[in-house]
Amino acid sequence: MTTRAGLVFAAAAAAAVLAGCTGTPAPPASTPPASTTVPAPATQAPTARPGQSATDAATEPRLVRQLELELDTPWATVFLPDGTAVISERDSALLKSVKDGRASTIGEVPGVVPGGEGGLLGLAVSPGFATDRYLYAYFTAATDNRIARIPLTAAPDGRLTAGTPEVIFSGISKASTHNGGRIRFGPDGMLYVGTGDSQRRDQPQDPEALGGKILRLTPDGSPAPGNPFGNNPVYSLGHRNVQGLAWDREGRLWASEFGPTVDDELNLITPGGNYGWPDVTGAPGRSPFIDAKVVWPDTAESSPSGLEIVGTTAYLGALRGQRLWTVKLDGESAGQPVSYFTREHGRLRDVALAPTGELWVLSNGQNPDFALIVDPAG
């Protein structure tokens, strides 16, 4: 498989442990060519920056408002067809609905065993929600990470209640860190699942193991037809800890991923692709591994979590970096990342596009947490 040089930026990596994502660093990867290094990203400014047109400045993301939702470590936001937001809380195992700026508890997911980075994690809304009323949830249980679908019922006044979960997929290895957790239905109607290596470095390169992968499932939890390894849920391998999944307007899948103490990544995902962990990180140009399209050598600047794509721009929430990153996409290439709201709102966990066209960005660790409502076009 042909590798593609990723876009690398910023200075040399800081030798700091990645907060919220620990683990043993990979063996040193070869140094990328100097031609792939670009200057450190600029930060938000109210007017056009040097070399930036007024048009570009006018399309910067703009904070519209902050919703004080009194959340406890929220992990994911999804939207129902009527525009209601549903948010998962990692440690409490609660599902919260948000309508008209107010949060209400709709249920606690049974069987969730929080700890470290584990707990109630990613959410996805069934493509057939209008008829099946299913909300999908990825969560850490006593022995593994698993996926359940949960029926939501609505009272006459619109209040939601979560029903009894049905586990449709299990056996994803768990640990105190590197549990993955992002799930999302793709344009093909299949459920894509980002997993972590759960501190088991032998798993990512093993196509028979579930850790360190992106999985592709049918809505009932079976391996999706057409997967690259036959009757196997694995879609791509060689991942450390996948945190975000999103498709561009041409239907290409992109994923954000935590590095160890170096090399956070934004990857363009191909079926059967091997992204190198734990043998390489970033974009060393080493066959047969696929280079990341964007590499943050200093994980203090990023720890990219939730990912959303609007038009030709990717938006990534940064945990340790405490900012919102934007990356312009051009086909299979990615431009230089630019940061916004740097250290203004704390750790940013998820980024989700609402039916209104606004982005919801979840804070983490602010005690209590909130949602930032952002106009992506400024």
Side-chain angles (χ1 to χ4, degrees):
M1 181 173 297
T2 302
T3 61
R4 297 179 183 273
L7 179 64
V8 182
F9 76 95
V17 175
L18 177 59
C21 182
T22 59
T24 305
S30 57
T31 303
S35 60
T36 65
T37 302
V38 297
T43 53
Q44 186 180 27
T47 57
R49 294 183 291 269
Q52 181 190 42
S53 69
T55 300
D56 288 341
T59 59
E60 293 179 346
R62 178 179 62 87
L63 180 61
V64 177
R65 61 190 179 280
Q66 180 172 314
L67 294 183
E68 303 295 347
L69 301 176
E70 302 293 311
L71 300 171
D72 177 11
T73 319
W75 211 91
T77 307
V78 293
F79 296 91
L80 304 182
D82 68 355
T84 299
V86 179
I87 296 174
S88 60
E89 289 187 341
R90 186 189 68 189
D91 297 339
S92 70
L94 295 179
L95 293 168
K96 302 278 183 80
S97 66
V98 181
K99 197 164 188 178
D100 300 325
R102 294 184 176 181
S104 303
T105 298
I106 63 177
E108 179 178 349
V109 179
V112 175
V113 180
E117 294 174 4
L120 180 58
L121 305 177
L123 301 176
V125 176
S126 168
F129 185 85
T131 55
D132 63 32
R133 304 286 300 180
Y134 281 136
L135 174 73
Y136 288 70
Y138 182 116
F139 66 94
T140 309
T143 59
D144 60 359
N145 287 294
R146 51 186 61 182
I147 301 166
R149 56 187 181 189
I150 305 166
L152 299 183
T153 58
D157 63 1
R159 285 183 295 176
L160 293 170
T161 301
T164 302
E166 173 194 2
V167 174
I168 64 162
F169 194 84
S170 60
I172 303 168
S173 58
K174 64 170 281 188
S176 60
T177 60
H178 306 188
N179 288 292
R182 194 67 60 188
I183 59 176
R184 196 161 189 177
F185 279 96
D188 57 1
M190 299 296 128
L191 182 64
Y192 291 74
V193 181
T195 74
D197 69 1
S198 63
Q199 303 178 22
R200 296 167 173 85
R201 292 163 65 93
D202 59 317
Q203 288 206 11
Q205 291 298 317
D206 179 1
E208 299 300 320
L210 299 177
K213 305 294 192 303
I214 294 175
L215 311 177
R216 180 172 174 265
L217 308 173
T218 65
D220 67 2
S222 302
N227 279 358
F229 300 101
N231 188 31
N232 180 320
V234 173
Y235 188 71
S236 63
L237 68 160
H239 298 287
R240 183 175 182 269
N241 196 11
V242 176
Q243 293 289 293
L245 300 168
W247 286 262
D248 64 25
R249 59 188 182 185
E250 300 301 323
R252 290 175 289 250
L253 174 59
W254 297 76
S256 57
E257 183 169 345
F258 287 163
T261 56
V262 295
D263 293 350
D264 291 328
E265 298 176 354
L266 175 64
N267 287 299
L268 175 61
I269 305 301
T270 59
N274 188 333
Y275 292 82
W277 178 257
D279 297 319
V280 300
T281 61
R286 178 176 158 187
S287 181
F289 306 123
I290 299 177
D291 282 351
K293 295 296 182 178
V294 177
V295 181
W296 287 264
D298 183 354
T299 57
E301 299 293 312
S302 192
S303 301
S305 187
L307 168 66
E308 188 62 276
I309 297 175
V310 182
T312 58
T313 303
Y315 299 84
L316 303 94
L319 290 169
R320 195 166 175 228
Q322 300 185 32
R323 66 199 73 188
L324 179 70
W325 286 105
T326 68
V327 180
K328 289 291 186 182
L329 305 178
D330 183 7
E332 297 184 355
S333 299
Q336 177 184 336
V338 179
S339 64
Y340 298 92
F341 316 131
T342 300
R343 298 187 179 87
E344 294 178 9
H345 306 287
R347 293 159 61 88
L348 302 181
R349 168 65 71 177
D350 194 23
V351 183
L353 181 64
T356 60
E358 296 170 318
L359 295 171
W360 284 43
V361 182
L362 294 178
S363 74
N364 251 199
Q366 297 305 292
N367 196 27
D369 286 303
F370 46 82
L372 302 175
I373 310 302
V374 174
D375 178 359

